[in-house]
């Protein structure tokens, strides 16, 4: 059936409800139908889906993602876009799910943006391209904007964390030959890979090793390795394990190369990993474009945060131009029902989550670990740096427009391996570690 929008739909795709006018005069029915079509571009597959779940169920799912009130709130705030064509960098990992899925699901287009997603080989290249203005915004490891803003490891340039892309979603994966060496105290001499120095992977691995009595600078080797190369290096015996992003932990199990020793959520449940980052100059020069981009990414984050949509997301991000991974690997990661490589099927629904809240206390914790391991020299104004880089006020504003209920405050406390972190006492926290890098003489 060809409807007024000029597209062919199954008769039930628009449903029987009366159209509600959304932004730019588009009916809510049209937006819902477009999203269903984006998720299932093949007519036969889409019709089977609608027949299986029913039009009302499909509409309810889309309505929960894009409530009419949110659409109207977004429409009221729209201003003329300074720029429509944008380039965004990403690394092909599940952490980037919101940034990636916003493309095939049409969230960028709905905001009037023409976004070119650029798959990038590694984090150093991401950093260089954002500094050289080849990318307008990018998928970052959440400590990277802090480091770049401070001039650590690169030229200094003010960066902003608009939202956290994902929480949890990482793991320590070991080679199968180490199945009988599960106690970290047996890991002296091991070679580990992490994706970047300024990464939660590096800081969480160091934390885990130190809590188990190993000095990460002297008892093991930690190598920076691009995520797509981790499984191959594990297979070749170049490394004994890695603390890396998914889907590569699950891919190591799928390829029968490694096993999942521990999920990162078992180290710090709710830890941030990746972030959506924007140069400060871009925000100042393109405020309306920035707001539109922010809304698109947070709309995707809201959908990703709903467990019921995880299987669909796995299907959407699996193709070659995105993650280029078997759908079954991505589904195990995103749904949390997975084989661990030790003969077990585990069910951990929050193995990967997508809470976009950029808590400034998270930034303070990252800064304490940078100082602990010698990446920062001298005194640190933790609060000032956290508040300059992590845009929590903007995040709350736009989160409320797309369905999230932003929590109060900016400096939430949390526990890492059972030890509470009080963001108001970072130096006291830092002094409590027996193992840390000795100050230079």
């Amino acid at each position: 059936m060809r409807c007024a929008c000029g597209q062919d739909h199954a008769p039930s795709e628009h449903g029987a409800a009366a159209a509600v006018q959304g932004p730019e005069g588009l009916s809510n029915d049209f937006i819902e139908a477009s999203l269903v079509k984006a998720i299932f571009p093949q007519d036969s597959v889409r019709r089977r889906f609608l027949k299986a779940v029913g039009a009302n169920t499909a509409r309810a799912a889309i309505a929960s993602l894009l409530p009419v009130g949110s659409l109207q709130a977004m429409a009221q705030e729209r201003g003329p876009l300074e720029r429509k064509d944008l380039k965004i960098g990403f690394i092909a990992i599940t952490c980037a799910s919101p940034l990636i899925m916003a493309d095939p699901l049409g969230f960028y287009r709905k905001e009037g943006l023409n976004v070119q997603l650029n798959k990038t080989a590694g984090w150093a290249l991401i950093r260089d391209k954002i500094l050289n203005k080849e990318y307008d915004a990018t998928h970052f490891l959440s400590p990277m904007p802090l480091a770049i803003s401070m001039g650590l490891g690169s030229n200094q340039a003010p960066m902003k964390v608009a939202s956290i892309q994902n929480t949890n979603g990482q793991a320590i994966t070991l080679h199968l030959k180490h199945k009988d060496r599960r106690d970290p105290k047996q890991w002296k001499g091991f070679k580990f890979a992490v994706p970047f120095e300024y990464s939660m992977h590096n800081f969480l691995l160091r934390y885990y090793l130190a809590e188990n009595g190993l000095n990460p600078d002297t008892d093991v080797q930690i190598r920076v390795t691009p995520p797509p190369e981790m499984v191959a290096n594990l297979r070749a015996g170049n490394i004994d394990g890695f603390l890396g992003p998914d889907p590569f932990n699950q891919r190591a199990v799928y390829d029968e190369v490694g096993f999942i020793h521990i999920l990162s959520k078992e180290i710090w449940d709710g830890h941030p990993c990746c972030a959506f980052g924007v140069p400060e100059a871009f925000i100042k020069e393109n405020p309306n474009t920035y707001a539109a981009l922010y809304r698109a990414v947070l709309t995707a984050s809201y959908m990703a945060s709903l467990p019921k949509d995880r299987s669909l997301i796995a299907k959407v991000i699996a193709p070659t131009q995105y993650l280029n991974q078997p759908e079954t690997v991505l589904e195990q990661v995103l749904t949390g029902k997975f084989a661990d490589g030790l003969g077990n099927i585990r069910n951990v629904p929050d193995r990967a989550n997508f809470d976009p809240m950029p808590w400034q206390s998270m930034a303070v914790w990252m800064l304490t670990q940078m100082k602990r391991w010698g990446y920062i020299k001298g005194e640190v104004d933790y609060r000032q740096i956290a508040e300059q880089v992590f845009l929590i006020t903007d995040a709350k504003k736009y989160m409320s427009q797309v369905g999230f209920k932003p929590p109060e405050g900016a400096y939430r406390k949390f526990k890492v391996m059972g030890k509470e972190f009080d963001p108001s006492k970072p130096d006291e926290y830092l002094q409590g570690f027996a193992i840390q890098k000795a100050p230079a003489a």
Side-chain angles (χ1 to χ4, degrees):
M1 179 182 76
R2 182 171 290 272
C3 73
C5 70
Q7 299 185 34
D8 291 318
H9 303 287
S12 59
E13 283 184 46
H14 277 312
V20 179
Q21 293 301 306
E24 300 178 0
L26 297 180
S27 72
N28 212 34
D29 286 345
F30 167 72
I31 294 169
E32 292 166 7
S34 297
L35 284 170
V36 172
K37 187 162 185 172
I39 296 170
F40 300 105
Q42 294 183 333
D43 290 344
S44 59
V45 176
R46 186 168 69 255
R47 288 190 172 94
R48 284 199 300 272
F49 167 72
L50 289 168
K51 185 176 180 180
V53 305
N56 289 337
T57 299
R59 286 172 55 81
I62 298 299
S64 71
L65 172 64
L66 289 171
V68 174
S70 295
L71 290 168
Q72 292 172 339
M74 290 182 193
Q76 290 167 3
E77 197 181 276
R78 287 175 183 241
L81 300 180
E82 299 85 5
R83 293 176 54 193
K84 295 184 178 181
D85 297 332
L86 301 176
K87 292 183 178 180
I88 297 179
F90 77 97
I91 302 288
I93 54 180
T94 53
C95 304
S97 293
L99 271 179
I100 295 170
M101 62 192 270
D103 181 31
L105 294 181
F107 298 149
Y108 295 127
R109 291 191 299 276
K110 183 175 68 65
E111 294 292 342
L113 300 172
N114 176 32
V115 167
Q116 177 184 317
L117 289 180
N118 293 271
K119 188 187 292 189
T120 311
W123 292 108
L125 196 54
I126 285 276
R127 176 199 61 204
D128 294 345
K129 285 182 176 290
I130 197 74
L131 287 174
N132 293 335
K133 300 183 179 180
E134 295 177 55
Y135 293 162
D136 300 295
T138 191
H139 173 203
F140 268 137
L141 295 161
S142 51
M144 286 176 67
L146 294 167
I148 296 171
S149 295
M150 298 172 71
L152 302 176
S154 70
N155 292 332
Q156 188 275 337
M159 293 286 163
K160 303 296 182 184
V161 170
S163 73
I164 297 299
Q165 279 286 282
N166 71 299
T167 55
N168 298 336
Q170 326 301 306
I172 296 178
T173 296
L174 298 179
H175 194 285
L176 283 176
K177 67 184 179 185
H178 296 309
K179 275 188 175 183
D180 296 326
R181 300 178 74 181
R182 298 290 307 282
D183 184 349
K185 294 178 177 60
Q186 299 176 301
W187 294 357
K188 275 197 173 186
F190 272 26
K191 300 181 179 75
F192 286 99
V194 296
F196 200 61
E197 284 191 308
Y198 297 101
S199 69
M200 287 299 296
H201 312 84
N202 185 26
F203 301 145
L204 289 175
L205 177 61
R206 286 171 171 273
Y207 196 105
Y208 182 77
L209 293 170
E211 289 296 296
N212 282 283
L214 295 180
N215 188 319
D217 287 319
T218 58
D219 292 331
V220 302
Q221 293 183 38
I222 299 179
R223 303 174 175 179
V224 171
T225 305
E229 299 175 17
M230 287 181 169
V231 176
N233 275 276
L234 194 67
R235 181 185 291 109
N238 297 330
I239 55 175
D240 296 284
F242 58 83
L243 200 161
D246 275 311
F248 297 107
N249 302 290
Q250 201 60 50
R251 185 61 190 260
V253 174
Y254 180 84
D255 289 352
E256 298 183 346
V257 174
F259 67 93
I260 295 173
H261 167 70
I262 188 172
L263 297 176
S264 59
K265 78 176 291 290
E266 298 171 72
I267 300 173
W268 170 3
D269 192 7
H271 74 81
C273 183
C274 290
F276 165 49
V278 187
E280 182 179 75
F282 177 88
I283 299 173
K284 290 180 177 178
E285 294 166 10
N286 308 281
N288 294 330
T289 299
Y290 164 68
L293 182 59
Y294 211 152
R295 287 191 296 265
V297 172
L298 284 178
T299 300
S301 292
Y302 182 67
M303 181 176 182
S305 74
L306 304 175
K308 64 184 179 63
D309 292 320
R310 299 287 176 81
S311 294
L312 293 181
I313 293 168
K315 184 185 298 291
V316 166
I317 66 177
T320 305
Q321 70 269 34
Y322 302 127
L323 264 58
N324 192 28
Q325 292 288 333
E327 192 178 316
T328 183
V329 170
L330 300 179
E331 187 162 357
Q332 287 185 73
V333 171
L334 294 175
T335 64
K337 189 173 183 180
F338 63 95
D340 66 2
L342 294 167
N344 307 306
I345 301 298
R346 298 185 60 187
N347 189 16
V348 186
D350 57 350
R351 170 179 175 171
N353 266 345
F354 298 92
D355 180 352
M357 185 73 166
W359 291 100
Q360 287 163 347
S361 51
M362 292 174 170
V364 173
W365 185 88
M366 295 174 209
L367 292 168
T368 67
Q369 300 309 296
M370 291 184 198
K371 187 169 175 61
R372 177 183 183 182
W373 302 115
Y375 295 101
I376 298 176
K377 312 294 184 185
E379 296 300 312
V380 181
D381 191 332
Y382 296 97
R383 193 180 186 100
Q384 180 187 49
I385 296 168
E387 292 176 4
Q388 284 176 349
V389 179
F390 276 46
L391 300 181
I392 201 165
T393 302
D394 279 8
K396 288 183 179 183
K397 171 184 174 183
Y398 292 112
M399 283 169 67
S400 65
Q401 292 184 5
V402 302
F404 286 103
K405 293 182 179 178
E408 296 296 320
Y411 288 91
R412 182 176 64 176
K413 295 180 181 179
F414 45 80
K415 290 184 178 180
V416 184
M417 294 186 71
K419 183 176 182 178
E420 185 174 78
F421 174 64
D422 183 345
S424 69
K425 301 175 181 177
D427 285 316
E428 183 178 317
Y429 177 75
L430 191 53
Q431 291 164 9
F433 294 114
I435 300 177
Q436 51 187 295
K437 196 175 190 73

